Amino acid sequence: MHNTAVIALLACAVAHAATYTTYIGDANQYQVSAIATDAIGNTYVTGSRLIVPASISTGPAVTDVFVGKLDTSGNLTVIGTFSGKGTDQANGIAVDLSGTIYHCGFDDIHYFSLRNPL
């Protein structure tokens, strides 16, 4: 279990507090950067996962971003990953009352196209 991110949610300050411990992981190393909850107690988590190439000659390790949604019992209901061609990092996550997820972070080679940047 050394390649997993442990998520412990204990008595969140939401209307439907949850208590559970779970993990997200596969063959890659995960690091959680931010956690948010919605009004009904679902948990949203984001972070980065380390992708190590099969051969050192194919290039250095990079990170991808993951976003996951867990229900009030801690069951993973949705997970998505995205990446550019370099190192991508998640820094924050929020969810509004309609369930729209807002995610912030960066990539080091500006691979993603921008729409109305600040």
Side-chain angles (χ1 to χ4, degrees):
M1 199 169 93
H2 69 284
N3 289 333
T4 59
V6 176
I7 301 166
L9 182 65
L10 304 172
C12 274
V14 295
H16 302 280
T19 301
Y20 60 78
T21 301
T22 189
Y23 64 91
I24 296 174
D26 55 21
N28 301 300
Q29 181 179 358
Y30 282 67
Q31 179 179 1
V32 173
S33 300
I35 298 175
T37 55
D38 64 18
I40 62 173
N42 295 309
T43 302
Y44 301 81
V45 59
T46 189
S48 303
R49 63 183 187 150
L50 182 66
I51 307 298
V52 179
S55 167
I56 195 68
S57 64
T58 61
V62 298
T63 55
D64 290 344
V65 169
F66 71 90
V67 175
K69 177 182 177 182
L70 297 94
D71 65 18
T72 57
S73 298
N75 299 307
L76 185 64
T77 60
V78 176
I79 190 163
T81 60
F82 57 93
S83 65
K85 295 182 179 179
T87 296
D88 308 303
Q89 181 175 329
N91 292 338
I93 192 166
V95 60
D96 66 17
L97 293 175
S98 68
T100 302
I101 301 169
Y102 298 90
H103 179 270
C104 63
F106 75 90
D107 69 282
D108 66 350
I109 60 170
H110 311 294
Y111 179 73
F112 296 107
S113 58
L114 296 176
R115 182 175 181 184
N116 303 321
L118 300 175

XYZ file of all heavy atoms in Angstrom:
859
model
N 0.811 -1.177 0.000
C 0.000 0.000 0.000
C 0.867 1.258 0.000
O 0.384 2.338 0.236
C -0.935 -0.025 1.208
C -2.103 0.905 1.062
S -3.364 0.651 2.319
C -2.850 1.837 3.528
N 2.151 1.160 -0.296
C 3.015 2.326 -0.268
C 2.748 3.293 -1.408
O 3.189 4.420 -1.373
C 4.484 1.904 -0.262
C 4.947 1.295 -1.536
N 4.641 0.012 -1.907
C 5.668 1.817 -2.541
C 5.174 -0.230 -3.089
N 5.788 0.839 -3.491
N 2.005 2.909 -2.443
C 1.692 3.784 -3.562
C 0.284 4.335 -3.480
O -0.341 4.612 -4.483
C 1.858 3.033 -4.883
C 3.311 2.775 -5.185
O 4.168 3.524 -4.751
N 3.595 1.730 -5.908
N -0.256 4.506 -2.296
C -1.612 4.979 -2.148
C -1.654 6.270 -1.352
O -0.737 6.581 -0.603
C -2.491 3.935 -1.432
O -1.922 3.676 -0.146
C -2.573 2.650 -2.218
N -2.735 7.014 -1.544
C -2.974 8.214 -0.744
C -4.085 7.876 0.231
O -5.161 7.477 -0.170
C -3.386 9.372 -1.642
N -3.814 8.001 1.499
C -4.809 7.693 2.524
C -5.657 8.934 2.766
O -5.134 10.030 2.920
C -4.139 7.226 3.830
C -5.172 7.015 4.918
C -3.342 5.954 3.581
N -6.957 8.733 2.785
C -7.893 9.831 3.014
C -8.668 9.514 4.275
O -9.383 8.526 4.337
C -8.860 9.976 1.828
C -8.074 10.241 0.542
C -9.867 11.096 2.097
C -8.885 10.065 -0.694
N -8.527 10.343 5.269
C -9.270 10.178 6.514
C -10.169 11.383 6.683
O -9.698 12.511 6.712
C -8.327 10.046 7.694
N -11.443 11.146 6.767
C -12.402 12.217 6.945
C -13.118 11.975 8.252
O -13.857 11.017 8.395
C -13.396 12.242 5.776
C -14.435 13.345 5.795
C -13.735 14.694 5.655
C -15.414 13.151 4.671
N -12.878 12.811 9.214
C -13.441 12.631 10.543
C -14.269 13.844 10.926
O -13.738 14.934 11.099
C -12.323 12.414 11.571
C -11.373 11.264 11.268
C -10.213 11.282 12.242
C -12.106 9.947 11.324
N -15.568 13.656 11.053
C -16.498 14.690 11.507
C -16.303 16.007 10.768
O -15.983 17.031 11.352
C -16.381 14.887 13.011
N -16.485 15.986 9.450
C -16.398 17.218 8.649
C -17.446 18.218 9.105
O -18.511 17.850 9.574
C -16.639 16.915 7.173
S -15.168 16.416 6.329
N -17.145 19.471 8.915
C -18.079 20.530 9.293
C -19.090 20.753 8.178
O -19.126 21.791 7.541
C -17.310 21.802 9.597
N -19.893 19.745 7.910
C -20.979 19.836 6.932
C -22.233 19.290 7.576
O -22.200 18.710 8.657
C -20.656 19.055 5.637
C -19.478 19.670 4.909
C -20.408 17.600 5.929
N -23.350 19.460 6.899
C -24.632 19.032 7.455
C -24.661 17.536 7.762
O -25.241 17.108 8.750
C -25.747 19.390 6.496
N -24.026 16.740 6.942
C -24.011 15.288 7.129
C -22.567 14.848 7.328
O -21.901 14.448 6.391
C -24.614 14.581 5.913
C -26.006 15.007 5.619
N -27.074 14.512 6.297
C -26.503 15.907 4.751
C -28.182 15.073 5.850
N -27.859 15.933 4.909
N -22.094 14.934 8.549
C -20.703 14.600 8.836
C -20.447 13.118 8.606
O -21.304 12.276 8.829
C -20.360 14.970 10.269
N -19.251 12.811 8.125
C -18.870 11.440 7.838
C -17.646 11.065 8.657
O -16.852 11.917 9.024
C -18.564 11.289 6.354
N -17.498 9.788 8.920
C -16.308 9.279 9.579
C -15.878 8.014 8.842
O -16.579 7.011 8.875
C -16.589 8.940 11.054
O -17.044 10.115 11.704
C -15.341 8.437 11.735
N -14.757 8.089 8.161
C -14.222 6.920 7.462
C -12.761 7.155 7.123
O -12.269 8.267 7.158
C -15.016 6.586 6.201
C -15.058 7.684 5.154
C -13.983 7.914 4.311
C -16.178 8.491 5.016
C -14.023 8.909 3.361
C -16.224 9.483 4.068
C -15.147 9.690 3.242
O -15.185 10.681 2.305
N -12.100 6.084 6.782
C -10.747 6.135 6.247
C -10.724 5.259 5.012
O -11.243 4.145 5.029
C -9.719 5.608 7.269
O -9.800 6.404 8.448
C -8.318 5.668 6.715
N -10.144 5.750 3.945
C -10.055 4.984 2.708
C -8.763 5.373 1.999
O -7.967 6.138 2.534
C -11.295 5.226 1.812
O -11.265 4.302 0.725
C -11.345 6.651 1.285
N -8.550 4.861 0.813
C -7.355 5.202 0.059
C -7.648 5.191 -1.427
O -8.594 4.575 -1.882
C -6.188 4.257 0.378
C -6.422 2.827 -0.023
C -6.039 2.381 -1.284
C -7.030 1.929 0.840
C -6.269 1.071 -1.669
C -7.251 0.621 0.462
C -6.869 0.195 -0.794
O -7.096 -1.099 -1.176
N -6.840 5.926 -2.156
C -6.854 5.929 -3.616
C -5.463 5.521 -4.042
O -4.477 6.072 -3.545
C -7.175 7.331 -4.167
C -8.576 7.763 -3.765
C -7.015 7.370 -5.679
C -8.907 9.194 -4.151
N -5.360 4.601 -4.958
C -4.027 4.228 -5.395
C -4.014 3.134 -6.430
O -4.985 2.427 -6.619
N -2.912 3.034 -7.116
C -2.641 1.976 -8.076
C -1.126 1.782 -8.086
O -0.484 1.966 -7.060
C -3.233 2.299 -9.462
C -2.765 3.638 -10.023
O -1.704 4.153 -9.591
O -3.450 4.173 -10.901
N -0.543 1.483 -9.200
C 0.900 1.256 -9.262
C 1.703 2.548 -9.132
O 2.909 2.508 -8.961
C 1.257 0.568 -10.579
N 1.027 3.704 -9.202
C 1.699 4.996 -9.117
C 1.623 5.556 -7.701
O 0.739 5.214 -6.933
C 1.050 5.980 -10.094
C 1.118 5.481 -11.510
O 2.190 5.267 -12.050
N -0.037 5.263 -12.114
N 2.555 6.436 -7.376
C 2.572 7.081 -6.074
C 1.639 8.295 -6.100
O 1.748 9.144 -6.983
C 3.982 7.517 -5.735
C 4.120 8.168 -4.388
C 5.549 8.571 -4.093
O 6.462 8.326 -4.877
N 5.761 9.201 -2.967
N 0.722 8.391 -5.132
C -0.255 9.476 -5.062
C 0.047 10.412 -3.898
O 0.520 9.984 -2.855
C -1.669 8.909 -4.865
C -2.278 8.354 -6.118
C -1.767 7.210 -6.723
C -3.378 8.953 -6.692
C -2.326 6.697 -7.867
C -3.955 8.434 -7.836
C -3.425 7.314 -8.424
O -3.986 6.814 -9.566
N -0.270 11.702 -4.090
C -0.156 12.686 -3.024
C -1.390 13.581 -3.078
O -1.669 14.216 -4.093
C 1.092 13.534 -3.198
C 1.231 14.589 -2.121
C 2.482 15.422 -2.287
O 3.264 15.251 -3.214
N 2.688 16.335 -1.374
N -2.138 13.628 -1.988
C -3.332 14.467 -1.905
C -2.920 15.901 -1.599
O -2.119 16.144 -0.703
C -4.289 13.944 -0.818
C -5.449 14.900 -0.598
C -4.801 12.564 -1.193
N -3.485 16.855 -2.344
C -3.195 18.271 -2.136
C -4.334 19.017 -1.460
O -4.100 19.960 -0.714
C -2.915 18.967 -3.469
O -1.822 18.390 -4.106
N -5.580 18.616 -1.760
C -6.718 19.361 -1.222
C -7.945 18.466 -1.135
O -8.105 17.527 -1.912
C -7.016 20.567 -2.094
N -8.804 18.791 -0.172
C -10.057 18.064 0.042
C -11.162 19.084 0.248
O -10.963 20.101 0.920
C -9.965 17.140 1.269
C -8.888 16.076 1.066
C -11.312 16.485 1.567
C -8.650 15.189 2.273
N -12.344 18.818 -0.337
C -13.519 19.668 -0.141
C -14.731 18.763 0.052
O -14.708 17.592 -0.335
C -13.730 20.582 -1.345
N -15.779 19.289 0.652
C -17.025 18.542 0.801
C -18.175 19.381 0.273
O -18.109 20.612 0.227
C -17.304 18.184 2.274
O -17.298 19.374 3.052
C -16.269 17.222 2.813
N -19.253 18.701 -0.134
C -20.435 19.426 -0.579
C -21.497 19.416 0.515
O -21.281 18.867 1.609
C -20.960 18.875 -1.911
C -21.440 17.437 -1.851
O -21.708 16.917 -0.744
O -21.570 16.818 -2.923
N -22.642 19.992 0.230
C -23.693 20.173 1.231
C -24.281 18.865 1.741
O -24.809 18.812 2.851
C -24.795 21.058 0.662
N -24.190 17.787 0.949
C -24.775 16.516 1.398
C -23.743 15.551 1.961
O -24.071 14.441 2.350
C -25.608 15.844 0.292
C -24.763 15.497 -0.922
C -26.784 16.711 -0.088
C -25.499 14.675 -1.966
N -22.470 15.969 1.997
C -21.447 15.163 2.633
C -20.535 14.380 1.714
O -19.689 13.628 2.192
N -20.680 14.520 0.381
C -19.720 13.901 -0.530
C -18.371 14.598 -0.375
O -18.309 15.794 -0.059
C -20.186 14.024 -1.981
C -21.442 13.250 -2.245
O -21.541 12.069 -1.917
N -22.421 13.906 -2.831
N -17.302 13.874 -0.599
C -15.951 14.408 -0.454
C -15.270 14.440 -1.812
O -15.354 13.481 -2.585
C -15.132 13.525 0.504
O -15.806 13.486 1.760
C -13.732 14.065 0.695
N -14.601 15.537 -2.095
C -13.866 15.711 -3.348
C -12.402 15.865 -2.983
O -12.041 16.630 -2.088
C -14.364 16.946 -4.087
C -15.834 16.849 -4.410
C -16.797 17.149 -3.444
C -16.263 16.424 -5.650
C -18.151 17.032 -3.729
C -17.614 16.306 -5.940
C -18.547 16.612 -4.983
O -19.882 16.487 -5.253
N -11.551 15.141 -3.668
C -10.126 15.133 -3.343
C -9.328 15.306 -4.627
O -9.719 14.819 -5.689
C -9.744 13.825 -2.600
C -10.051 12.611 -3.423
C -8.303 13.823 -2.169
N -8.238 16.038 -4.539
C -7.368 16.209 -5.687
C -5.920 16.134 -5.245
O -5.598 16.339 -4.076
C -7.631 17.540 -6.424
O -6.898 17.549 -7.648
C -7.220 18.738 -5.597
N -5.079 15.831 -6.189
C -3.658 15.744 -5.914
C -2.914 15.328 -7.162
O -3.423 15.438 -8.275
N -1.722 14.836 -6.954
C -0.860 14.438 -8.060
C -0.443 12.991 -7.902
O -0.407 12.459 -6.803
C 0.386 15.325 -8.086
O 0.027 16.678 -8.192
N -0.158 12.365 -9.035
C 0.376 11.002 -9.010
C 1.646 10.982 -9.834
O 1.735 11.589 -10.893
C -0.629 9.982 -9.516
C -1.022 10.156 -10.944
C -2.083 9.151 -11.358
N -2.305 9.277 -12.798
C -2.665 8.310 -13.579
N -2.891 7.116 -13.084
N -2.828 8.504 -14.862
N 2.643 10.309 -9.321
C 3.949 10.227 -9.957
C 3.929 9.143 -11.023
O 3.566 7.998 -10.744
C 5.025 9.914 -8.912
C 6.462 9.839 -9.413
C 6.935 11.198 -9.905
C 7.369 9.325 -8.308
N 4.298 9.519 -12.244
C 4.372 8.572 -13.356
C 5.842 8.366 -13.688
O 6.536 9.288 -14.114
C 3.626 9.107 -14.601
C 2.200 9.509 -14.247
C 3.672 8.095 -15.733
C 1.328 8.387 -13.745
N 6.327 7.166 -13.477
C 7.719 6.838 -13.745
C 7.775 6.047 -15.044
O 7.090 5.032 -15.197
C 8.328 6.003 -12.590
C 9.774 5.649 -12.885
C 8.212 6.762 -11.274
N 8.566 6.500 -16.021
C 8.659 5.773 -17.284
C 9.242 4.377 -17.091
O 10.007 4.142 -16.158
C 9.570 6.637 -18.146
C 10.179 7.643 -17.257
C 9.406 7.676 -15.982
N 8.865 3.472 -17.971
C 9.339 2.090 -17.881
C 10.852 2.004 -18.030
O 11.492 1.138 -17.457
C 8.657 1.241 -18.948
N 11.412 2.919 -18.787
C 12.854 2.931 -19.001
C 13.375 4.335 -18.740
O 12.756 5.321 -19.138
C 13.170 2.523 -20.443
O 14.514 2.821 -20.743
N 14.489 4.450 -18.094
C 15.074 5.760 -17.815
C 15.401 6.492 -19.103
O 15.418 7.716 -19.150
C 16.313 5.634 -16.883
C 16.704 6.999 -16.296
C 17.478 5.020 -17.623
C 15.733 7.558 -15.327
N 15.605 5.767 -20.200
C 15.944 6.403 -21.475
C 14.731 7.082 -22.114
O 14.893 7.876 -23.040
C 16.540 5.372 -22.438
O 15.570 4.394 -22.740
N 13.508 6.803 -21.627
C 12.320 7.437 -22.202
C 12.023 8.785 -21.581
O 11.112 9.475 -22.003
C 11.075 6.529 -22.061
O 10.846 6.306 -20.673
C 11.253 5.230 -22.799
N 12.783 9.170 -20.591
C 12.594 10.484 -19.998
C 12.425 10.425 -18.498
O 12.317 9.359 -17.907
N 12.387 11.608 -17.878
C 12.260 11.672 -16.416
C 10.827 11.396 -15.966
O 9.884 11.432 -16.757
C 12.658 13.112 -16.106
C 12.257 13.867 -17.331
C 12.503 12.925 -18.482
N 10.670 11.155 -14.690
C 9.341 10.973 -14.116
C 8.575 12.292 -14.174
O 9.159 13.363 -14.093
C 9.461 10.496 -12.671
N 7.266 12.206 -14.360
C 6.395 13.373 -14.382
C 5.220 13.121 -13.449
O 5.018 11.997 -12.979
C 5.889 13.691 -15.806
C 7.038 14.033 -16.730
C 5.075 12.539 -16.360
N 4.438 14.149 -13.188
C 3.245 13.962 -12.381
C 2.010 14.340 -13.176
O 2.033 15.252 -14.006
C 3.287 14.810 -11.090
O 3.493 16.180 -11.422
C 4.372 14.331 -10.154
N 0.938 13.605 -12.952
C -0.380 13.888 -13.492
C -1.269 14.329 -12.337
O -0.954 14.098 -11.173
C -1.005 12.630 -14.115
C -0.313 12.207 -15.389
O 0.434 13.017 -15.968
O -0.523 11.059 -15.809
N -2.400 14.907 -12.659
C -3.361 15.352 -11.655
C -4.514 14.364 -11.602
O -4.932 13.823 -12.629
C -3.881 16.763 -12.013
C -5.062 17.155 -11.157
C -2.760 17.775 -11.872
N -5.030 14.101 -10.409
C -6.243 13.295 -10.280
C -7.285 14.076 -9.482
O -6.949 14.929 -8.665
C -5.962 11.940 -9.603
C -5.652 12.033 -8.139
C -6.667 11.965 -7.190
C -4.352 12.198 -7.707
C -6.386 12.049 -5.843
C -4.058 12.290 -6.348
C -5.079 12.216 -5.419
N -8.543 13.806 -9.777
C -9.678 14.360 -9.043
C -10.605 13.201 -8.740
O -10.945 12.426 -9.636
C -10.432 15.433 -9.859
C -11.668 15.913 -9.123
C -9.509 16.604 -10.186
N -10.995 13.051 -7.490
C -11.876 11.960 -7.100
C -13.067 12.460 -6.303
O -13.006 13.511 -5.660
N -14.156 11.709 -6.370
C -15.351 12.003 -5.574
C -15.696 10.760 -4.779
O -15.789 9.662 -5.324
C -16.524 12.379 -6.479
C -17.807 12.633 -5.711
C -18.961 12.960 -6.656
C -20.255 13.145 -5.893
N -21.388 13.413 -6.809
N -15.878 10.941 -3.476
C -16.263 9.843 -2.600
C -17.631 10.160 -2.008
O -17.907 11.307 -1.650
C -15.249 9.673 -1.470
C -13.833 9.292 -1.916
C -12.973 10.530 -2.077
C -13.205 8.354 -0.928
N -18.476 9.132 -1.910
C -19.791 9.352 -1.310
C -19.670 9.436 0.208
O -18.579 9.355 0.763
C -20.793 8.288 -1.765
C -20.449 6.886 -1.284
O -19.651 6.714 -0.334
O -21.006 5.926 -1.862
N -20.791 9.578 0.886
C -20.764 9.784 2.338
C -20.265 8.574 3.112
O -19.931 8.698 4.287
C -22.159 10.182 2.846
O -23.092 9.171 2.464
C -22.597 11.522 2.270
N -20.200 7.407 2.469
C -19.661 6.205 3.113
C -18.189 5.988 2.791
O -17.578 5.025 3.252
C -20.460 4.977 2.675
O -21.799 5.094 3.085
N -17.610 6.864 1.967
C -16.203 6.727 1.601
C -15.958 5.903 0.362
O -14.811 5.587 0.051
N -17.026 5.548 -0.371
C -16.863 4.801 -1.618
C -16.476 5.740 -2.744
O -17.112 6.775 -2.948
C -18.168 4.082 -1.979
C -18.574 3.097 -0.915
O -17.799 2.244 -0.524
N -19.796 3.248 -0.419
N -15.447 5.380 -3.492
C -15.002 6.181 -4.620
C -16.020 6.040 -5.741
O -16.240 4.943 -6.263
C -13.619 5.721 -5.078
C -12.955 6.532 -6.171
C -12.682 7.948 -5.684
C -11.662 5.865 -6.596
N -16.682 7.125 -6.100
C -17.717 7.065 -7.130
C -17.233 7.596 -8.463
O -17.736 7.190 -9.502
C -18.979 7.836 -6.697
O -18.636 9.196 -6.457
C -19.565 7.234 -5.433
N -16.277 8.511 -8.450
C -15.742 9.086 -9.677
C -14.263 9.356 -9.464
O -13.864 9.823 -8.403
C -16.434 10.431 -10.027
C -15.794 11.072 -11.247
C -17.922 10.238 -10.240
N -13.460 9.055 -10.462
C -12.061 9.509 -10.455
C -11.678 9.838 -11.884
O -12.079 9.145 -12.822
C -11.084 8.484 -9.837
C -9.718 9.136 -9.638
C -10.986 7.223 -10.664
C -8.787 8.410 -8.697
N -10.964 10.910 -12.027
C -10.470 11.311 -13.333
C -9.041 11.776 -13.201
O -8.618 12.256 -12.146
N -8.292 11.606 -14.259
C -6.919 12.096 -14.274
C -6.725 12.904 -15.544
O -7.416 12.699 -16.543
C -5.898 10.941 -14.258
O -6.085 10.121 -15.408
C -6.034 10.114 -13.005
N -5.823 13.853 -15.477
C -5.454 14.575 -16.685
C -4.003 14.983 -16.573
O -3.452 15.098 -15.483
C -6.369 15.774 -16.947
C -6.438 16.782 -15.843
C -5.594 17.883 -15.841
C -7.365 16.653 -14.826
C -5.671 18.825 -14.831
C -7.445 17.596 -13.814
C -6.599 18.680 -13.817
N -3.417 15.168 -17.748
C -1.997 15.493 -17.752
C -1.620 16.187 -19.036
O -2.273 16.046 -20.065
C -1.159 14.227 -17.598
O -1.342 13.393 -18.719
N -0.552 16.930 -18.937
C 0.074 17.510 -20.106
C 1.300 16.667 -20.436
O 1.339 15.480 -20.130
N 2.296 17.295 -21.003
C 3.496 16.558 -21.381
C 4.624 16.711 -20.368
O 5.712 16.233 -20.581
C 3.972 17.021 -22.755
C 2.995 16.686 -23.849
C 3.515 17.116 -25.199
C 2.525 16.742 -26.278
N 2.962 17.147 -27.606
N 4.346 17.393 -19.272
C 5.367 17.611 -18.253
C 4.816 17.321 -16.879
O 4.025 16.409 -16.687
N 5.225 18.133 -15.932
C 4.796 17.960 -14.552
C 3.547 18.794 -14.303
O 3.538 19.998 -14.522
C 5.918 18.387 -13.596
O 7.020 17.506 -13.809
C 5.481 18.299 -12.152
N 2.487 18.149 -13.859
C 1.224 18.805 -13.544
C 0.977 18.650 -12.053
O 1.281 17.616 -11.472
C 0.079 18.162 -14.326
C 0.393 18.095 -15.807
O 0.650 19.154 -16.388
O 0.401 16.982 -16.365
N 0.435 19.686 -11.428
C 0.231 19.647 -9.985
C -1.118 20.245 -9.629
O -1.514 21.278 -10.155
C 1.333 20.427 -9.277
C 1.196 20.403 -7.771
C 2.354 21.076 -7.082
O 3.473 21.074 -7.582
N 2.097 21.671 -5.937
N -1.806 19.589 -8.716
C -3.065 20.094 -8.173
C -2.777 20.880 -6.909
O -1.990 20.452 -6.079
C -3.989 18.927 -7.858
N -3.427 22.034 -6.768
C -3.225 22.851 -5.577
C -4.488 23.048 -4.753
O -4.396 23.339 -3.568
C -2.669 24.222 -5.961
C -1.265 24.139 -6.489
O -0.554 23.193 -6.219
N -0.873 25.115 -7.270
N -5.656 22.963 -5.365
C -6.881 23.200 -4.618
C -8.103 22.654 -5.329
O -8.069 22.387 -6.528
N -9.176 22.492 -4.566
C -10.434 22.001 -5.116
C -11.582 22.609 -4.309
O -11.445 22.846 -3.104
C -10.499 20.462 -5.100
C -11.665 19.957 -5.940
C -10.533 19.909 -3.686
C -11.593 18.459 -6.242
N -12.682 22.889 -4.996
C -13.890 23.396 -4.347
C -15.084 22.874 -5.138
O -14.959 22.490 -6.306
C -13.897 24.919 -4.323
N -16.239 22.848 -4.515
C -17.472 22.438 -5.180
C -18.561 23.418 -4.784
O -18.649 23.818 -3.618
C -17.827 20.970 -4.838
C -18.034 20.773 -3.366
C -19.018 20.500 -5.625
N -19.383 23.849 -5.761
C -20.443 24.795 -5.434
C -21.760 24.057 -5.166
O -21.815 22.821 -5.207
C -20.594 25.867 -6.520
C -21.067 25.333 -7.860
O -21.599 24.201 -7.925
O -20.923 26.067 -8.861
N -22.809 24.802 -4.884
C -24.093 24.204 -4.520
C -24.720 23.378 -5.632
O -25.504 22.467 -5.375
C -25.066 25.294 -4.063
C -24.682 25.991 -2.762
C -25.643 27.126 -2.461
C -24.634 25.003 -1.614
N -24.366 23.661 -6.892
C -24.916 22.880 -8.004
C -24.084 21.632 -8.301
O -24.432 20.850 -9.180
C -25.009 23.749 -9.259
O -23.712 24.063 -9.734
N -22.975 21.431 -7.587
C -22.136 20.255 -7.791
C -21.000 20.460 -8.771
O -20.277 19.518 -9.096
N -20.819 21.689 -9.251
C -19.715 21.975 -10.163
C -18.404 21.970 -9.376
O -18.304 22.594 -8.322
C -19.904 23.347 -10.838
O -21.148 23.339 -11.541
C -18.775 23.655 -11.807
N -17.422 21.249 -9.899
C -16.123 21.132 -9.245
C -15.176 22.167 -9.835
O -15.058 22.286 -11.057
C -15.535 19.714 -9.447
C -16.473 18.672 -8.876
C -14.145 19.613 -8.834
C -16.106 17.252 -9.261
N -14.489 22.894 -8.959
C -13.480 23.860 -9.370
C -12.128 23.348 -8.890
O -11.970 22.970 -7.746
C -13.770 25.230 -8.756
C -15.093 25.783 -9.207
C -16.258 25.524 -8.486
C -15.184 26.540 -10.366
C -17.486 26.011 -8.909
C -16.406 27.034 -10.800
C -17.549 26.767 -10.069
O -18.759 27.246 -10.494
N -11.184 23.361 -9.808
C -9.875 22.783 -9.546
C -8.811 23.794 -9.934
O -8.943 24.466 -10.952
C -9.748 21.512 -10.396
C -8.451 20.833 -10.243
N -7.380 21.112 -11.038
C -8.055 19.891 -9.372
C -6.370 20.362 -10.662
N -6.748 19.625 -9.658
N -7.769 23.916 -9.138
C -6.677 24.813 -9.523
C -5.350 24.085 -9.355
O -5.211 23.172 -8.563
C -6.701 26.101 -8.719
S -6.456 25.893 -6.961
N -4.403 24.517 -10.153
C -3.084 23.910 -10.131
C -2.231 24.519 -11.222
O -2.493 25.619 -11.688
N -1.216 23.784 -11.644
C -0.371 24.286 -12.724
C 0.272 23.133 -13.487
O 0.301 22.000 -13.027
C 0.708 25.239 -12.187
C 1.837 24.542 -11.463
C 2.964 24.110 -12.152
C 1.777 24.334 -10.107
C 4.007 23.475 -11.490
C 2.811 23.693 -9.439
C 3.920 23.278 -10.138
N 0.755 23.480 -14.686
C 1.609 22.560 -15.431
C 2.856 23.338 -15.829
O 2.816 24.549 -15.998
C 0.886 21.966 -16.651
C 0.630 22.980 -17.732
O -0.327 23.771 -17.584
O 1.378 22.985 -18.718
N 3.957 22.641 -15.958
C 5.223 23.346 -16.147
C 5.572 23.663 -17.588
O 6.531 24.376 -17.842
C 6.376 22.580 -15.486
C 6.660 21.240 -16.140
O 5.869 20.800 -16.986
O 7.684 20.637 -15.787
N 4.813 23.178 -18.554
C 5.150 23.493 -19.945
C 3.994 24.153 -20.683
O 4.025 24.284 -21.891
C 5.648 22.254 -20.707
C 4.595 21.170 -20.745
C 6.943 21.737 -20.152
C 4.926 20.031 -21.681
N 2.966 24.553 -19.967
C 1.847 25.300 -20.543
C 1.200 24.558 -21.713
O 0.948 25.118 -22.762
C 2.292 26.699 -20.954
C 3.054 27.393 -19.881
N 2.475 27.762 -18.694
C 4.357 27.733 -19.778
C 3.386 28.328 -17.924
N 4.537 28.307 -18.548
N 0.962 23.283 -21.508
C 0.382 22.423 -22.535
C -1.113 22.673 -22.720
O -1.629 22.604 -23.817
C 0.633 20.954 -22.162
C 0.063 19.961 -23.124
C 0.639 19.763 -24.364
C -1.058 19.210 -22.785
C 0.122 18.846 -25.249
C -1.587 18.287 -23.670
C -0.997 18.111 -24.899
O -1.513 17.207 -25.768
N -1.817 22.984 -21.630
C -3.250 23.167 -21.703
C -3.567 24.541 -22.287
O -2.956 25.538 -21.927
C -3.893 23.044 -20.322
C -3.735 21.689 -19.732
C -2.858 21.457 -18.687
C -4.463 20.604 -20.228
C -2.699 20.198 -18.145
C -4.302 19.344 -19.696
C -3.423 19.141 -18.655
N -4.535 24.589 -23.179
C -4.909 25.868 -23.760
C -5.702 26.685 -22.730
O -6.424 26.140 -21.910
C -5.748 25.662 -25.017
O -6.905 24.919 -24.710
N -5.530 27.985 -22.778
C -6.200 28.880 -21.840
C -7.413 29.511 -22.498
O -7.402 29.861 -23.663
C -5.242 29.982 -21.392
C -4.009 29.532 -20.614
C -3.128 30.735 -20.327
C -4.399 28.851 -19.347
N -8.444 29.673 -21.698
C -9.642 30.356 -22.160
C -9.955 31.448 -21.152
O -10.211 31.150 -19.998
C -10.800 29.382 -22.276
C -12.042 30.023 -22.803
C -13.119 28.993 -23.001
N -14.289 29.643 -23.527
C -15.422 29.037 -23.736
N -15.531 27.753 -23.467
N -16.445 29.687 -24.204
N -9.871 32.683 -21.575
C -10.114 33.835 -20.717
C -9.228 33.822 -19.473
O -9.721 33.853 -18.355
C -11.589 33.911 -20.302
C -12.515 33.975 -21.494
O -12.207 34.629 -22.480
N -13.636 33.284 -21.401
N -7.898 33.752 -19.640
C -7.025 33.724 -18.455
C -7.069 35.043 -17.707
O -7.376 36.096 -18.278
C -5.636 33.481 -19.058
C -5.729 34.040 -20.436
C -7.153 33.791 -20.875
N -6.773 34.979 -16.426
C -6.734 36.193 -15.594
C -5.418 36.899 -15.744
O -4.405 36.358 -15.920
C -6.956 35.815 -14.121
C -8.272 35.141 -13.835
C -8.307 34.716 -12.368
C -9.416 36.083 -14.122
